[in-house]
Amino acid sequence: MTRPHDVPSPLARGPFTRAAGLAHVSPDDLRGPSYQRLLRGAHQATGDVSTTARITAALAVLPPGTVLAGRSALWSWGVRLASPTEPVDVIVPPGSRARRRAEIRVRRDTLLPGEVLSLPLGLTTSPERTAFDVARSAPAMTAVPMLDQLVRATRLRQEEVLALAARHRHTRWLSRVEPALALVDAGAESVRESQLRLVLVEAGLPVPVAQHVILDADGRFVARTDLAWPELRVACEYDGAHHDERGQVIRDRARLNAIRRAGWTVVVVDAAQFARRHEVVAMVRAVLAQARPNR
């Protein structure tokens, strides 16, 4: 039986096709404990399976010229929102034959010149095309957080995406693109922060500033807040699960006290509250209504 340390070095570097594996080991070895199948026709040495590994495996078994799209394109651009269990999103070349696999979401779509770039992970839709596809793929609550991170990673401009959209006038769900882009804020640092901003804005509240820096009366740094209305000295923070750690709780309390000493009101929203979005909106609305403009 093959032991993990007996894996040939070419097979230990990452995912490989079945044909490449059989050039070094027997079929019985490939079915043994030292290897695991990532998808039909692709394997890797036994170990943790990453999103990058699944994408690499998918590209290895798909036709040449296959392009990463959607969430997989986001991953290729450094936006780490996809999980290893999600299907790999690809666009295959016209006329090519690609087997249906549960681990791969295959699309056949029109890609115009300039809409595909070569990145270390493989051929990938350009930032503009990726944004275009993401914006029309889902409602704003899902799409905008992904767009926030893509714009943050690539410095993509809204007008570049709109120019691309104008070249695809008959594409499905095109009407979603411009409204989604209008809600993008590259200052957002997390999906939940983006979603909290969207909930408040879509409820008709003033658009907050993402990652606003608060200074004290002497101009010294106090904190950087998730969302803020500087003219009212009101901040809104999302309290994620990691904030429950004791050391973090102590630091968070000190930080909140410092913000309040600087003359700001802070609204903190946790996961349980976020599930009751109407209550969050009512709470923030009341705080904003009571706040006095900063003079």
Side-chain angles (χ1 to χ4, degrees):
M1 178 180 293
T2 303
R3 297 186 300 276
H5 62 271
D6 293 327
V7 173
S9 59
L11 305 186
R13 297 170 187 158
F16 52 87
T17 63
R18 175 177 172 80
L22 293 178
H24 297 277
V25 299
S26 71
D28 286 342
D29 287 336
L30 203 55
R31 289 191 292 268
S34 293
Y35 303 96
Q36 61 194 119
R37 193 180 83 155
L38 298 180
L39 47 84
R40 185 192 305 167
H43 305 256
Q44 73 168 24
T46 298
D48 293 335
V49 179
S50 66
T51 299
T52 295
R54 286 201 181 277
I55 290 174
T56 302
L59 292 177
V61 302
L62 289 168
T66 294
V67 178
L68 296 175
R71 287 182 181 244
S72 298
L74 289 173
W75 189 272
S76 191
W77 284 110
V79 179
R80 306 309 198 196
L81 297 181
S83 75
T85 60
E86 288 184 40
V88 177
D89 285 316
V90 298
I91 297 174
V92 295
S96 63
R97 299 181 64 183
R99 288 184 179 180
R100 178 175 293 181
R101 294 173 170 86
E103 303 90 350
I104 304 174
R105 187 181 295 117
V106 173
R107 287 195 288 126
R108 288 173 171 80
D109 211 340
T110 301
L111 293 170
L112 300 179
E115 293 182 4
V116 178
L117 298 174
S118 181
L119 298 185
L121 200 52
L123 294 177
T124 303
T125 52
S126 67
E128 299 89 339
R129 177 61 195 238
T130 303
F132 174 70
D133 288 340
V134 167
R136 64 193 178 91
S137 68
M141 191 60 67
T142 299
V144 171
M146 292 190 282
L147 294 172
D148 283 351
Q149 299 306 309
L150 178 63
V151 172
R152 186 179 180 88
T154 66
R155 306 301 181 190
L156 176 66
R157 299 195 307 273
Q158 177 177 328
E159 55 267 28
E160 294 171 325
V161 185
L162 293 176
L164 184 146
R167 300 194 294 270
H168 294 272
R169 294 187 182 278
H170 301 293
T171 303
R172 192 179 184 191
W173 303 117
L174 183 63
S175 61
R176 287 177 169 176
V177 175
E178 190 168 356
L181 292 173
L183 293 169
V184 168
D185 188 331
E189 291 188 341
S190 71
V191 168
R192 191 62 86 196
E193 179 186 322
S194 294
Q195 291 177 332
L196 177 57
R197 184 186 80 247
L198 289 177
V199 166
L200 300 176
V201 171
E202 291 183 351
L205 296 180
V207 178
V209 176
Q211 299 301 316
H212 178 71
V213 173
I214 295 176
L215 305 176
D216 65 14
D218 296 320
R220 293 174 298 204
F221 177 84
V222 174
R224 188 176 57 166
T225 62
D226 292 342
L227 302 172
W229 294 267
E231 70 282 2
L232 297 175
R233 292 198 176 191
V234 172
C236 187
E237 298 270 89
Y238 182 77
D239 190 357
H242 70 281
H243 290 270
D244 294 336
E245 301 168 3
R246 176 164 177 75
Q248 188 62 48
V249 169
I250 293 172
R251 290 190 292 272
D252 285 348
R253 287 175 180 169
R255 178 174 174 276
L256 289 175
N257 287 335
I259 294 173
R260 287 164 179 153
R261 284 198 303 272
W264 283 66
T265 301
V266 186
V267 178
V268 179
V269 178
D270 61 24
Q273 290 172 310
F274 189 75
R276 304 186 298 275
R277 298 178 184 182
H278 65 286
E279 294 181 10
V280 171
V281 169
M283 176 173 59
V284 175
R285 191 188 302 278
V287 171
L288 292 176
Q290 294 169 6
R292 295 181 178 181
N294 182 27
R295 299 184 184 282

